[in-house]
Amino acid sequence: MAESSNRAAHPTEKAIQVFRLQGANCASCVNKIERAAKEVSGVEVATVNLADRTLSIRGDAEAAAVTAAVEAAGYGAEIVRASARELRERQRAEEQRHYHQLLWRAALALGLGVPLMGWGMITGEVGVNTTFQQVAWGLVGGLTLVVLVFCGGHFFSGAWRAFRHHGATMDTLVALGTGTAWLFSMLVVGVPQLLPESARHVYFEASAMIIGLINLGQAMEVRARGRTSAAVEKLLELQDVTARVMRDGEEVDVPLEEVQVGNQLRVRPGEKIPVDGRILDGSSTVDESMLTGEPLPVKKNKGDRLNAGTLNKNGSLLFEAEKVGAETRLAQIIELVKNAQSSRVPIARLADTISSIFVPTVMVLAIVAALFWFNWGPEPRAAHTLVVLTSVLIIACPCALGLATPMSVMVGVGKGAEYGVLVRNGKALQQASELTTLVVDKTGTLTEGAPKLTDIETDSDADELLMLLASLESKSEHPLAEAIVDAARDKKLALYDAENFEAVTAHGVRGRVHGKRVLLGNRKLMKRENIALEKWQACAEALSAKGRTAMYAAVDGELAGVIAVADPIRKDAKEAITRLKKLGLSIEMLTGDNQATAAAVARELGIARVHADLLPEDKEKIVGELQQKGTHVGMVGDGINDAPALARADVGFAIGAGTDVAIETADITLMRSSLHGVADAIELSKSTLRNIKQNLFGAFIYNILGIPIAAGALYPLTGILLSPVIAGAAMAFSSVTVVSNANRLRWFKPASVASDRKEAK
Amino acid sequence: MTVEILVNLLGLGAISGIIWWFWVAPKRPHAEAVAVEEKLRIHVRGGVYEPDRVRIKAGESATLHFIREDPTPCAEWVLFPDLEVSAQLAVNEETTVRLPASEVGEYSFHCQMQMYRGTLVVE
Ligand SMILES: [Cu+2]
């Protein structure tokens, strides 16, 4: 097979290959498998690790042969694939090799082309009139042929191979252009008498220069392209090579590929977490910014989740592996980013259609232009015909057109990953840039999603009242109760045991705490118990108007005060809403809460439109209605409860997926639980689309102007034709320009970041 | 005069040849598609996929094996835009690409720049 010969050519030192074994359970298997493996040619050392059922082979044996040998011995073996990172490194080396090869080719070709061009420009003697000139130029022609074969052979072989498949590529254009120039020159050298004296020119320098320049351009393109994948590379680098696994109470370093689900692992301060898992022992703060874009480190205790690739800051952790290999969140992110990076963007459809017929069209145009000059052009017609033919072929650049979109998407999507914005595909990216309306689910997005005690109003001691109420509520299972108990805990109040606890449905709770009769509930409860409300009624109503849930508290038959609970608004929500408005979006809020609560939150955040009292299925309907009005609707939700609405929207943003949502559900997934992520995503999509448009515009204009100029459109004005060498230079650098412009996106920074980073310090 | 007629005829011939070879000929039902099986390797080299017409069964997921022998960056990605599948191909390595179960039809696959082109026949 081709790949084995290629692999043998790699100058790797004796590689280690790891196989996962099946059916190896006992110590006696170890010997049998090792013996079988060692008999395979190329295997130098074979060791079986029974604990994790792996076989490690040192030497350059064929993986298939090892597998076969192990199977013959009665067991199963499967090669453990090289890690993505290792693969990447190999690709890097390959790229580097290719880069140097291109530079060499460029240098050689230019080494011939530049002196030839200099000669032509200084002496002006490129005509073939005498026998001596015939011989001399014949030699130069031979030399040029050598350059064409050595430095440009790949253009010719590629063109030929594509031709056989009815395809035409950039190689076709380069091969035809340089080939024609060379053949014409050889014709001049061989039988100059066929041509009028004024047309007896040779164009060897053009062939050599074009090959050199295009190689140089490609080398620069390889360089620039390498940078476009910098973001994925950064993510790949987050994957550690080894992990410290606990075996029989000892810490053993093993290659990452060998870590299995259920293994216990140790991470020390300052180390990266190798796989996804759950903390068994220890606590620490973990920097998750590389996955979520969240600048502040997160506190982690026993039972908390850890994600591969994040950085353990200051504590030693023992944890159990739950997901390894391709299952880890990091691996999934990488996969998603890669897929999105190469996906289609609708805006590029025209460019795609054009590039699929571009090359044959250019070939036809070149011939038409050449025939025009041949039939109607001024003398020397033969020379003009050739120059026009070559220039048109060479200047047309399908790559600029083809690269315009993919390169920008590549950089844009990768950049998003850096800020915890995962874009599902190019379509989502484009639609995000066109949104006019953003529908936001309130709970968990604008608010924390967990109610908190906001007010406690009383004439007597507030702490005392809170203590009584919290003691009572500690028996309750109502979500509001939790907020009151938490508030008491935060104040370090000691709680009593409540007696005769009773929950009165739709009213409140009552019971006996520390010998006192305590009541907590709404107006109806107080009425039922004949407790006068007058004293606190105004206060309670004021709190309700602010969107809080106010409750009356009574102690020993007397109204003691009012407390209020509310789902607090996220600290950054207001700022994010302002940003989104600045991006030209009209914002609408959705919530299952009542109108008063919803309106209060909306007022605080400056949101004009509110849809309250919604059932879960209403959300999708509202999105649909907005779409029918012709708006482009984005929907922000948590990805679990809002799935239908997210799917219905033009762009669904799943927020807070740093937790547990499958990252495939939404068009855009935000790893960070903040609305700023949505603003980041929209800013990014706008920048990326702008970049794509620049690239497409540039590529179109280049070809639309370049081809007529090469065809001689400027001749009536300037009296000269575009030199094929300049056409070659323009072509070589047009695609570099496109890639470089895409690379400018690497400097993209969402507006929020500057302020965030300041806070973090 | 004869030379001029000859050159013009040559040019017109070349134009019709190009139109025929690149536009008309590929549209005809041509060479059988190669069935995808365990051992099939699609080679990526010199501007083409070999084979460039592969066949899979409808309603079943399939796995393609690509071997990229061409280090030029154009060959780096293979896209199946209709199936929303793409893969980054490693140079001189085998890269497997999983395709979801799909409906009967012909789907094109190509590189980012559409220089490399192939057809996936689902039947
Ligand atoms: Cu080009």
Short mmCIF file of all heavy atoms in Angstrom, two decimals, chain A residues 390-440:
data_model
loop_
_atom_site.label_atom_id
_atom_site.label_comp_id
_atom_site.label_asym_id
_atom_site.label_seq_id
_atom_site.Cartn_x
_atom_site.Cartn_y
_atom_site.Cartn_z
N THR A 390 -0.54 34.17 -23.37
CA THR A 390 0.13 33.78 -22.13
C THR A 390 -0.36 34.62 -20.94
O THR A 390 -0.67 34.10 -19.89
CB THR A 390 1.66 33.98 -22.29
OG1 THR A 390 2.04 33.43 -23.52
CG2 THR A 390 2.40 33.33 -21.17
N SER A 391 -0.45 35.93 -21.16
CA SER A 391 -0.82 36.81 -20.04
C SER A 391 -2.21 36.51 -19.52
O SER A 391 -2.44 36.46 -18.32
CB SER A 391 -0.74 38.27 -20.47
OG SER A 391 0.58 38.60 -20.76
N VAL A 392 -3.16 36.31 -20.43
CA VAL A 392 -4.52 36.03 -19.98
C VAL A 392 -4.55 34.73 -19.18
O VAL A 392 -5.17 34.64 -18.11
CB VAL A 392 -5.51 35.97 -21.17
CG1 VAL A 392 -6.88 35.50 -20.70
CG2 VAL A 392 -5.63 37.34 -21.80
N LEU A 393 -3.88 33.72 -19.69
CA LEU A 393 -3.87 32.44 -18.98
C LEU A 393 -3.27 32.58 -17.59
O LEU A 393 -3.76 32.01 -16.62
CB LEU A 393 -3.07 31.40 -19.78
CG LEU A 393 -3.72 30.84 -21.03
CD1 LEU A 393 -2.74 29.96 -21.79
CD2 LEU A 393 -4.97 30.04 -20.67
N ILE A 394 -2.20 33.38 -17.53
CA ILE A 394 -1.46 33.44 -16.28
C ILE A 394 -2.12 34.38 -15.26
O ILE A 394 -2.11 34.13 -14.07
CB ILE A 394 -0.01 33.90 -16.54
CG1 ILE A 394 0.73 32.86 -17.38
CG2 ILE A 394 0.73 34.16 -15.25
CD1 ILE A 394 1.01 31.56 -16.68
N ILE A 395 -2.72 35.45 -15.72
CA ILE A 395 -3.21 36.44 -14.75
C ILE A 395 -4.49 35.98 -14.06
O ILE A 395 -4.75 36.33 -12.91
CB ILE A 395 -3.41 37.83 -15.40
CG1 ILE A 395 -3.29 38.92 -14.32
CG2 ILE A 395 -4.78 37.93 -16.09
CD1 ILE A 395 -3.14 40.32 -14.87
N ALA A 396 -5.29 35.19 -14.75
CA ALA A 396 -6.56 34.74 -14.15
C ALA A 396 -6.26 33.87 -12.94
O ALA A 396 -5.45 32.96 -13.02
CB ALA A 396 -7.35 33.94 -15.17
N CYS A 397 -6.88 34.20 -11.81
CA CYS A 397 -6.54 33.44 -10.61
C CYS A 397 -7.79 32.87 -9.96
O CYS A 397 -8.50 33.54 -9.23
CB CYS A 397 -5.79 34.30 -9.61
SG CYS A 397 -5.22 33.35 -8.21
N PRO A 398 -8.06 31.59 -10.23
CA PRO A 398 -9.21 30.95 -9.59
C PRO A 398 -9.00 30.78 -8.09
O PRO A 398 -9.96 30.71 -7.33
CB PRO A 398 -9.28 29.59 -10.29
CG PRO A 398 -7.89 29.32 -10.74
CD PRO A 398 -7.30 30.65 -11.07
N CYS A 399 -7.75 30.75 -7.65
CA CYS A 399 -7.51 30.48 -6.22
C CYS A 399 -8.01 31.64 -5.37
O CYS A 399 -8.58 31.42 -4.32
CB CYS A 399 -6.07 30.24 -5.90
SG CYS A 399 -5.02 30.09 -7.28
N ALA A 400 -7.79 32.85 -5.85
CA ALA A 400 -8.23 33.99 -5.05
C ALA A 400 -9.72 33.89 -4.81
O ALA A 400 -10.22 34.10 -3.71
CB ALA A 400 -7.88 35.29 -5.76
N LEU A 401 -10.45 33.52 -5.85
CA LEU A 401 -11.89 33.39 -5.76
C LEU A 401 -12.27 32.23 -4.84
O LEU A 401 -13.15 32.35 -4.00
CB LEU A 401 -12.42 33.11 -7.18
CG LEU A 401 -13.79 33.62 -7.53
CD1 LEU A 401 -13.89 35.09 -7.25
CD2 LEU A 401 -14.05 33.34 -9.00
N GLY A 402 -11.56 31.13 -5.01
CA GLY A 402 -11.88 29.95 -4.21
C GLY A 402 -11.51 30.10 -2.76
O GLY A 402 -12.16 29.54 -1.87
N LEU A 403 -10.47 30.89 -2.51
CA LEU A 403 -9.98 31.01 -1.13
C LEU A 403 -10.72 32.08 -0.34
O LEU A 403 -10.69 32.09 0.89
CB LEU A 403 -8.49 31.35 -1.13
CG LEU A 403 -7.56 30.23 -1.53
CD1 LEU A 403 -6.14 30.75 -1.62
CD2 LEU A 403 -7.62 29.10 -0.53
N ALA A 404 -11.37 32.98 -1.05
CA ALA A 404 -11.91 34.17 -0.40
C ALA A 404 -12.74 33.82 0.83
O ALA A 404 -12.50 34.33 1.92
CB ALA A 404 -12.75 34.96 -1.40
N THR A 405 -13.70 32.95 0.67
CA THR A 405 -14.59 32.63 1.78
C THR A 405 -13.97 31.65 2.78
O THR A 405 -13.95 31.94 3.98
CB THR A 405 -15.90 32.05 1.24
OG1 THR A 405 -16.23 32.72 0.05
CG2 THR A 405 -17.00 32.21 2.23
N PRO A 406 -13.47 30.52 2.32
CA PRO A 406 -12.99 29.54 3.31
C PRO A 406 -11.94 30.10 4.27
O PRO A 406 -11.96 29.79 5.46
CB PRO A 406 -12.38 28.44 2.45
CG PRO A 406 -12.86 28.63 1.10
CD PRO A 406 -13.33 30.02 0.96
N MET A 407 -11.07 30.96 3.76
CA MET A 407 -10.01 31.46 4.64
C MET A 407 -10.59 32.33 5.75
O MET A 407 -10.20 32.23 6.91
CB MET A 407 -8.99 32.27 3.83
CG MET A 407 -8.10 31.45 2.95
SD MET A 407 -7.10 30.26 3.87
CE MET A 407 -7.84 28.74 3.38
N SER A 408 -11.54 33.20 5.40
CA SER A 408 -12.13 34.06 6.42
C SER A 408 -12.92 33.24 7.44
O SER A 408 -12.86 33.49 8.64
CB SER A 408 -13.06 35.09 5.79
OG SER A 408 -12.38 35.79 4.78
N VAL A 409 -13.67 32.27 6.93
CA VAL A 409 -14.45 31.43 7.84
C VAL A 409 -13.53 30.70 8.80
O VAL A 409 -13.78 30.60 10.00
CB VAL A 409 -15.32 30.43 7.04
CG1 VAL A 409 -16.01 29.46 7.97
CG2 VAL A 409 -16.34 31.17 6.22
N MET A 410 -12.46 30.20 8.24
CA MET A 410 -11.48 29.47 9.04
C MET A 410 -10.99 30.33 10.21
O MET A 410 -11.00 29.89 11.36
CB MET A 410 -10.30 29.17 8.11
CG MET A 410 -9.31 28.26 8.66
SD MET A 410 -9.51 26.73 7.76
CE MET A 410 -8.03 25.93 8.25
N VAL A 411 -10.58 31.54 9.90
CA VAL A 411 -10.05 32.40 10.95
C VAL A 411 -11.17 32.85 11.89
O VAL A 411 -11.03 32.82 13.11
CB VAL A 411 -9.33 33.63 10.34
CG1 VAL A 411 -8.74 34.48 11.45
CG2 VAL A 411 -8.25 33.19 9.39
N GLY A 412 -12.30 33.23 11.31
CA GLY A 412 -13.41 33.74 12.13
C GLY A 412 -13.92 32.70 13.11
O GLY A 412 -14.08 32.99 14.30
N VAL A 413 -14.18 31.51 12.62
CA VAL A 413 -14.70 30.46 13.50
C VAL A 413 -13.68 30.11 14.58
O VAL A 413 -14.02 29.92 15.75
CB VAL A 413 -15.07 29.21 12.66
CG1 VAL A 413 -15.32 28.02 13.55
CG2 VAL A 413 -16.28 29.49 11.81
N GLY A 414 -12.42 30.06 14.18
CA GLY A 414 -11.37 29.76 15.15
C GLY A 414 -11.28 30.84 16.21
O GLY A 414 -11.14 30.55 17.40
N LYS A 415 -11.42 32.07 15.77
CA LYS A 415 -11.36 33.19 16.72
C LYS A 415 -12.51 33.07 17.72
O LYS A 415 -12.34 33.31 18.91
CB LYS A 415 -11.49 34.50 15.93
CG LYS A 415 -10.96 35.70 16.66
CD LYS A 415 -9.47 35.66 16.71
CE LYS A 415 -8.98 36.43 17.91
NZ LYS A 415 -7.56 36.20 18.14
N GLY A 416 -13.67 32.71 17.23
CA GLY A 416 -14.83 32.54 18.10
C GLY A 416 -14.53 31.54 19.20
O GLY A 416 -14.82 31.78 20.37
N ALA A 417 -13.93 30.42 18.83
CA ALA A 417 -13.62 29.38 19.82
C ALA A 417 -12.76 29.95 20.94
O ALA A 417 -12.89 29.58 22.10
CB ALA A 417 -12.92 28.22 19.14
N GLU A 418 -11.89 30.88 20.58
CA GLU A 418 -11.04 31.48 21.60
C GLU A 418 -11.84 32.24 22.66
O GLU A 418 -11.44 32.34 23.80
CB GLU A 418 -10.08 32.46 20.93
CG GLU A 418 -8.68 31.95 20.84
CD GLU A 418 -7.84 32.89 20.01
OE1 GLU A 418 -7.71 34.06 20.39
OE2 GLU A 418 -7.34 32.44 18.96
N TYR A 419 -12.97 32.80 22.22
CA TYR A 419 -13.80 33.54 23.15
C TYR A 419 -14.98 32.73 23.66
O TYR A 419 -15.94 33.28 24.18
CB TYR A 419 -14.30 34.84 22.49
CG TYR A 419 -13.19 35.82 22.25
CD1 TYR A 419 -12.67 36.02 20.99
CD2 TYR A 419 -12.64 36.53 23.33
CE1 TYR A 419 -11.64 36.90 20.78
CE2 TYR A 419 -11.61 37.41 23.12
CZ TYR A 419 -11.11 37.60 21.84
OH TYR A 419 -10.08 38.47 21.65
N GLY A 420 -14.92 31.42 23.48
CA GLY A 420 -16.00 30.58 23.97
C GLY A 420 -17.25 30.66 23.13
O GLY A 420 -18.33 30.34 23.61
N VAL A 421 -17.12 31.08 21.88
CA VAL A 421 -18.26 31.13 20.97
C VAL A 421 -18.06 30.05 19.92
O VAL A 421 -17.13 30.11 19.13
CB VAL A 421 -18.32 32.51 20.26
CG1 VAL A 421 -19.42 32.51 19.20
CG2 VAL A 421 -18.55 33.62 21.27
N LEU A 422 -18.92 29.02 19.96
CA LEU A 422 -18.77 27.93 19.01
C LEU A 422 -19.83 28.04 17.94
O LEU A 422 -21.01 27.91 18.20
CB LEU A 422 -18.90 26.58 19.71
CG LEU A 422 -17.93 26.34 20.87
CD1 LEU A 422 -18.18 24.98 21.48
CD2 LEU A 422 -16.50 26.45 20.40
N VAL A 423 -19.37 28.30 16.73
CA VAL A 423 -20.30 28.46 15.61
C VAL A 423 -20.44 27.12 14.92
O VAL A 423 -19.45 26.44 14.67
CB VAL A 423 -19.77 29.50 14.62
CG1 VAL A 423 -20.78 29.73 13.51
CG2 VAL A 423 -19.48 30.80 15.33
N ARG A 424 -21.69 26.74 14.66
CA ARG A 424 -21.92 25.40 14.13
C ARG A 424 -21.52 25.27 12.66
O ARG A 424 -20.92 24.29 12.26
CB ARG A 424 -23.38 25.07 14.27
CG ARG A 424 -23.73 23.69 13.88
CD ARG A 424 -25.02 23.31 14.60
NE ARG A 424 -25.57 22.13 14.02
CZ ARG A 424 -24.94 20.97 14.03
NH1 ARG A 424 -23.74 20.86 14.56
NH2 ARG A 424 -25.49 19.92 13.49
N ASN A 425 -21.84 26.26 11.86
CA ASN A 425 -21.42 26.20 10.46
C ASN A 425 -21.45 27.60 9.83
O ASN A 425 -21.82 28.57 10.47
CB ASN A 425 -22.30 25.24 9.65
CG ASN A 425 -23.77 25.56 9.78
OD1 ASN A 425 -24.14 26.72 9.95
ND2 ASN A 425 -24.61 24.56 9.72
N GLY A 426 -21.03 27.65 8.59
CA GLY A 426 -20.92 28.93 7.91
C GLY A 426 -22.26 29.63 7.76
O GLY A 426 -22.34 30.85 7.79
N LYS A 427 -23.32 28.83 7.62
CA LYS A 427 -24.64 29.41 7.46
C LYS A 427 -25.03 30.16 8.74
O LYS A 427 -25.52 31.29 8.68
CB LYS A 427 -25.63 28.29 7.17
CG LYS A 427 -26.96 28.76 6.68
CD LYS A 427 -27.81 27.55 6.26
CE LYS A 427 -29.27 27.86 6.41
NZ LYS A 427 -30.07 26.70 6.75
N ALA A 428 -24.79 29.55 9.87
CA ALA A 428 -25.11 30.20 11.14
C ALA A 428 -24.32 31.49 11.28
O ALA A 428 -24.83 32.51 11.75
CB ALA A 428 -24.79 29.26 12.29
N LEU A 429 -23.08 31.44 10.84
CA LEU A 429 -22.22 32.62 10.93
C LEU A 429 -22.80 33.77 10.10
O LEU A 429 -22.89 34.90 10.56
CB LEU A 429 -20.82 32.26 10.42
CG LEU A 429 -19.73 33.27 10.68
CD1 LEU A 429 -19.38 33.31 12.15
CD2 LEU A 429 -18.49 32.91 9.88
N GLN A 430 -23.21 33.44 8.89
CA GLN A 430 -23.76 34.49 8.04
C GLN A 430 -25.08 35.02 8.59
O GLN A 430 -25.31 36.22 8.64
CB GLN A 430 -23.98 33.95 6.62
CG GLN A 430 -24.56 35.04 5.72
CD GLN A 430 -24.67 34.61 4.28
OE1 GLN A 430 -24.03 33.67 3.84
NE2 GLN A 430 -25.49 35.32 3.51
N GLN A 431 -25.95 34.09 9.05
CA GLN A 431 -27.24 34.54 9.54
C GLN A 431 -27.09 35.37 10.81
O GLN A 431 -27.85 36.32 11.03
CB GLN A 431 -28.15 33.35 9.77
CG GLN A 431 -28.57 32.74 8.42
CD GLN A 431 -29.54 31.60 8.55
OE1 GLN A 431 -29.55 30.92 9.57
NE2 GLN A 431 -30.33 31.37 7.54
N ALA A 432 -26.11 35.05 11.62
CA ALA A 432 -25.91 35.83 12.85
C ALA A 432 -25.57 37.27 12.52
O ALA A 432 -25.89 38.19 13.27
CB ALA A 432 -24.82 35.20 13.69
N SER A 433 -24.93 37.47 11.39
CA SER A 433 -24.54 38.84 11.03
C SER A 433 -25.73 39.62 10.48
O SER A 433 -25.66 40.82 10.34
CB SER A 433 -23.42 38.82 10.01
OG SER A 433 -23.92 38.45 8.74
N GLU A 434 -26.81 38.92 10.16
CA GLU A 434 -27.96 39.59 9.53
C GLU A 434 -29.14 39.74 10.47
O GLU A 434 -30.21 40.16 10.05
CB GLU A 434 -28.41 38.77 8.30
CG GLU A 434 -27.37 38.76 7.18
CD GLU A 434 -27.63 37.66 6.16
OE1 GLU A 434 -28.53 36.83 6.39
OE2 GLU A 434 -26.93 37.64 5.15
N LEU A 435 -28.98 39.36 11.73
CA LEU A 435 -30.12 39.39 12.65
C LEU A 435 -30.62 40.81 12.87
O LEU A 435 -29.86 41.76 12.88
CB LEU A 435 -29.72 38.80 14.00
CG LEU A 435 -29.39 37.31 14.01
CD1 LEU A 435 -28.98 36.89 15.41
CD2 LEU A 435 -30.58 36.50 13.54
N THR A 436 -31.95 40.91 13.02
CA THR A 436 -32.52 42.22 13.33
C THR A 436 -33.19 42.20 14.70
O THR A 436 -33.30 43.22 15.36
CB THR A 436 -33.57 42.63 12.28
OG1 THR A 436 -34.48 41.54 12.11
CG2 THR A 436 -32.92 42.92 10.95
N THR A 437 -33.66 41.02 15.11
CA THR A 437 -34.36 40.92 16.39
C THR A 437 -33.71 39.80 17.21
O THR A 437 -33.38 38.75 16.67
CB THR A 437 -35.84 40.56 16.16
OG1 THR A 437 -36.41 41.54 15.32
CG2 THR A 437 -36.59 40.52 17.47
N LEU A 438 -33.57 40.08 18.48
CA LEU A 438 -33.02 39.06 19.36
C LEU A 438 -34.04 38.78 20.46
O LEU A 438 -34.44 39.68 21.18
CB LEU A 438 -31.70 39.52 19.96
CG LEU A 438 -30.91 38.44 20.69
CD1 LEU A 438 -30.36 37.43 19.69
CD2 LEU A 438 -29.77 39.05 21.48
N VAL A 439 -34.45 37.52 20.54
CA VAL A 439 -35.41 37.12 21.54
C VAL A 439 -34.63 36.43 22.66
O VAL A 439 -33.86 35.52 22.40
CB VAL A 439 -36.45 36.16 20.93
CG1 VAL A 439 -37.41 35.69 21.99
CG2 VAL A 439 -37.18 36.83 19.79
N VAL A 440 -34.84 36.91 23.88
CA VAL A 440 -34.02 36.41 24.99
C VAL A 440 -34.93 35.79 26.04
O VAL A 440 -35.91 36.41 26.47
CB VAL A 440 -33.21 37.55 25.62
CG1 VAL A 440 -32.31 37.01 26.72
CG2 VAL A 440 -32.40 38.27 24.58
#
